[in-house]
Amino acid sequence: MVVLAASICTKGGKAVLSRQFHPMTRTHIESLLASFPKLIPTNSQHTSVETAQVRYVYQPLEDLYILLITNKASNILQDIDTLHLFARVVSDICRTADERQIQKQSFELLSAFDEIVSMGYREQVNLIQVRSVLEMESHEEKIQDIIARNKEAEAKEELKRRARQLELQRREQQKRAAVSGSGGSSYLGGGMSGYSPVPQRFDVQEVPAARTASPAPASSARTPPFKGSGMKLGSKKTKQAELLDALGGELVSEELLGPSTPPIPDPSPEPTNTRGSLPSITAESVHIVIKEQIDVSLMREGGVKSMEVKGDMNLQVSDPALAHIKLALPSPITDFGSDLQFKQHPNVAKFAPGQNRIVALKDPSRAFPVGQALAVLKWRYAGRDESLVPLSINCWPSPSNDGTCEVNIEYELENENVTLHDVVISIPLPTGSYPSITTTQCDYSVNPATHSLDWSIPLVSTIARSGTLEFTVGGDDTSMFFPVRVSFVGRGSIAGIGVDTVSRVDGGEDPAFSVDAVVTTGDYLVI
């Protein structure tokens, strides 16, 4: 197709705005537009008319016409599609399609026309891409601005820290100087102890009443009996203090500071909360902590490519009277076969084949350690059983003809052994595109670091086990929306590991116990 010009004219043929993509004089384009209304047949449903030289493809735009002038060999279907894009651009830029508004936005309209057609040929762009070009927004520039602001904040914090450290060093220097000065005066003041020092000379100066730049000269009557150099208090210390204040937090050389004081270490950062909003458990005298981590790769068409679950059980006894105990694990609901492997502590007896799983010491006369956690059992599962997957994800992108993509994503709880908290599903987005969410009542945000849509679900359980999210975004490459990443913290055990009962080895009354079973994610992906 060859587009000669894109124009907006009145119904009388007066040109309001016109962009020529091939060399044409103003007189020629005005004559073509003036003859256009006379060629439109009355009561006709067609949107194109032809002359001996050109073809008009037009569309009403309120009281105006928007039209393309093409050669007769051009593809009429492509021309109509291009005309619709021109009309959408005009409606997007102008509030109302009247002559005054179009002339006011003429510069933006001409720039948009040049993005759609170049040298008479249609560019492969859509409305979102044209809008992005006109806005001239750069995602990379935003990221760099965020990084620059973070660096500036870190530099300010470092400057404050170094200023505090330098102030502490200066105070320490003042204390050392005061101690040295008082020690020198008592030493020179008498020889009560009978100690005979090595002959030296200390130039002791009188401190003037007013603070001056240089010390006052000592009188001959107070001339000390020793000759030599020593520490002088007064002017040099004042200069050091002034220099430190002038530096404003910069490091000072060792010649000015003397022996440096070891820097005060920064307080250790508080440990991060890995439990999230997971409810806490009140620990009993016998407390069992079960931790599992899952790494899984789910295929977008369905099925499991790979899955690995690692877990461990820690036992902590706080009462010495309850140290001789054994733990009974529940019977497995699913037969994992050789995919699920157990490993006990060297002092813990192995599971007997065909019997209930019991965690107990090999020597019944020994007791579990008191006051410290002991890892008594570890396990590992590697397989492709879909029933063990805690959360299934179905991401379904559907490209549209206008260069956008409609994405539907759904989650559903598959493993009822776990309850999931703080679920975050991250869907990558095409570069430079931002989503338009059509689903209401959902918590989402765009992560600028990864340029992904983060969908947050506070709780997924057997009561609220599924949900959907729908959004539209620019781009028609479905592979751009993968891999989808999932993170959560859960209550329970994916492999069904738990504790049914805790009993005494000597057959006494069963003690009270508590179990804290936590599941976390490693690489949870949909590829």
Side-chain angles (χ1 to χ4, degrees):
M1 60 178 270
V2 177
V3 179
L4 303 179
S7 306
I8 301 175
C9 67
T10 64
K11 292 191 175 181
K14 175 186 174 183
V16 179
L17 180 72
S18 181
R19 178 70 173 98
Q20 291 74 252
F21 303 104
H22 278 267
M24 299 176 66
T25 63
R26 177 175 179 174
T27 305
H28 187 193
I29 191 67
E30 288 179 346
S31 64
L32 290 175
L33 294 176
S35 60
F36 161 68
K38 304 174 184 177
L39 301 174
I40 302 176
T42 58
N43 299 326
S44 175
Q45 300 296 325
H46 296 288
T47 58
S48 65
V49 293
E50 296 183 359
T51 65
Q53 293 82 20
V54 297
R55 175 190 294 150
Y56 299 90
V57 183
Y58 63 93
Q59 175 181 330
L61 198 66
E62 296 185 7
D63 294 335
L64 305 173
Y65 280 114
I66 180 171
L67 67 152
L68 300 181
I69 303 176
T70 69
N71 58 13
K72 299 183 66 175
S74 179
N75 189 325
I76 183 64
L77 297 179
Q78 294 182 4
D79 293 341
I80 293 175
D81 183 67
T82 304
L83 178 65
H84 290 167
L85 180 57
F86 272 102
R88 292 178 61 190
V89 167
V90 173
S91 301
D92 185 69
I93 295 177
C94 300
R95 298 178 181 177
T96 57
D98 56 17
E99 183 175 350
R100 180 179 177 182
Q101 187 68 19
I102 289 174
Q103 290 179 349
K104 182 179 180 181
Q105 303 290 340
S106 59
F107 181 78
E108 287 77 8
L109 289 173
L110 292 175
S111 300
F113 287 2
D114 287 341
E115 295 296 330
I116 300 173
V117 176
S118 176
M119 301 298 294
Y121 294 92
R122 164 75 183 273
E123 297 287 344
Q124 296 300 319
V125 295
N126 54 48
L127 177 60
I128 296 179
Q129 292 172 327
V130 173
R131 185 187 303 161
S132 176
V133 171
L134 294 180
E135 291 174 353
M136 293 185 293
E137 291 187 355
S138 172
H139 177 67
E140 289 76 9
E141 182 180 358
K142 292 180 180 179
I143 295 297
Q144 292 300 321
D145 290 341
I146 294 174
I147 293 174
R149 288 196 297 268
N150 291 340
K151 287 184 177 180
E152 184 178 354
E154 291 175 358
K156 290 181 179 179
E157 291 298 325
E158 178 66 14
L159 185 61
K160 292 180 181 179
R161 187 189 68 81
R162 293 173 66 182
R164 289 194 298 268
Q165 178 181 341
L166 195 57
E167 179 65 21
L168 292 174
Q169 290 178 349
R170 184 173 67 180
R171 292 179 181 177
E172 185 67 21
Q173 282 296 112
Q174 292 175 353
K175 291 180 180 179
R176 290 185 179 183
V179 171
S180 300
S182 61
S185 299
S186 61
Y187 169 72
L188 293 175
M192 297 296 294
S193 63
Y195 173 73
S196 178
V198 178
Q200 294 181 1
R201 174 175 177 174
F202 288 83
D203 294 330
V204 180
Q205 302 171 353
E206 291 181 358
V207 179
R211 186 176 181 180
T212 58
S214 60
S219 63
S220 59
R222 298 182 57 86
T223 303
F226 303 107
K227 301 295 182 179
S229 61
M231 179 178 293
K232 296 183 179 181
L233 303 179
S235 62
K236 287 190 177 180
K237 178 182 172 185
T238 303
K239 292 180 180 179
Q240 287 183 7
E242 293 176 353
L243 181 58
L244 291 173
D245 293 336
L247 287 175
E250 296 296 332
L251 293 179
V252 183
S253 62
E254 294 183 357
E255 289 79 0
L256 293 177
L257 287 178
S260 61
T261 304
I264 299 175
D266 293 335
S268 58
E270 297 181 358
T272 57
N273 182 16
T274 58
R275 296 179 63 90
S277 61
L278 200 65
S280 58
I281 298 294
T282 303
E284 299 287 349
S285 299
V286 178
H287 186 59
I288 301 102
V289 178
I290 299 174
K291 296 181 180 179
E292 283 186 340
Q293 178 174 310
I294 179 172
D295 295 89
V296 62
S297 294
L298 306 175
M299 293 182 288
R300 66 185 76 173
E301 298 85 4
V304 179
K305 182 178 181 182
S306 63
M307 179 168 59
E308 182 183 45
V309 179
K310 293 181 180 180
D312 59 74
M313 177 184 295
N314 291 267
L315 172 63
Q316 183 169 358
V317 180
S318 58
D319 188 354
L322 305 177
H324 295 81
I325 56 175
K326 57 182 179 180
L327 315 179
L329 276 59
S331 301
I333 301 176
T334 305
D335 183 14
F336 297 100
S338 60
D339 292 338
L340 181 61
Q341 299 175 352
F342 291 94
K343 187 175 182 180
Q344 287 85 355
H345 187 278
N347 293 333
V348 175
K350 296 185 180 298
F351 296 150
Q355 299 182 12
N356 292 336
R357 296 170 178 169
I358 302 296
V359 176
L361 293 175
K362 293 179 180 179
D363 186 358
S365 63
R366 299 185 61 179
F368 284 105
V370 178
Q372 65 180 23
L374 176 66
V376 295
L377 181 65
K378 295 184 178 182
W379 60 92
R380 177 180 179 270
Y381 170 81
R384 299 182 180 180
D385 188 355
E386 290 188 60
S387 63
L388 296 179
V389 175
L391 197 68
S392 63
I393 304 294
N394 183 13
C395 184
W396 198 283
S398 302
S400 303
N401 294 329
D402 59 353
T404 61
C405 197
E406 182 179 317
V407 182
N408 291 270
I409 186 163
E410 178 184 15
Y411 70 86
E412 184 173 2
L413 181 68
E414 300 291 346
N415 191 332
E416 296 185 356
N417 291 332
V418 295
T419 300
L420 309 181
H421 296 256
D422 303 333
V423 180
V424 178
I425 303 174
S426 299
I427 308 101
L429 299 175
T431 304
S433 298
Y434 292 87
S436 175
I437 308 298
T438 57
T439 304
T440 59
Q441 297 181 353
C442 63
D443 186 9
Y444 67 91
S445 62
V446 176
N447 189 336
T450 59
H451 193 58
S452 61
L453 176 65
D454 291 352
W455 180 20
S456 301
I457 306 102
L459 178 65
V460 178
S461 62
T462 55
I463 300 176
R465 59 186 308 146
S466 63
T468 57
L469 175 68
E470 182 178 348
F471 64 91
T472 304
V473 68
D476 53 6
D477 186 3
T478 58
S479 64
M480 295 294 294
F481 302 98
F482 297 92
V484 178
R485 294 184 176 272
V486 183
S487 64
F488 57 79
V489 57
R491 169 80 70 197
S493 170
I494 297 174
I497 306 298
V499 177
D500 269 353
T501 60
V502 176
S503 57
R504 295 174 182 265
V505 176
D506 56 7
E509 183 182 356
D510 293 347
F513 68 95
S514 56
V515 179
D516 187 12
V518 180
V519 180
T520 57
T521 58
D523 290 330
Y524 200 115
L525 307 174
V526 181
I527 58 177

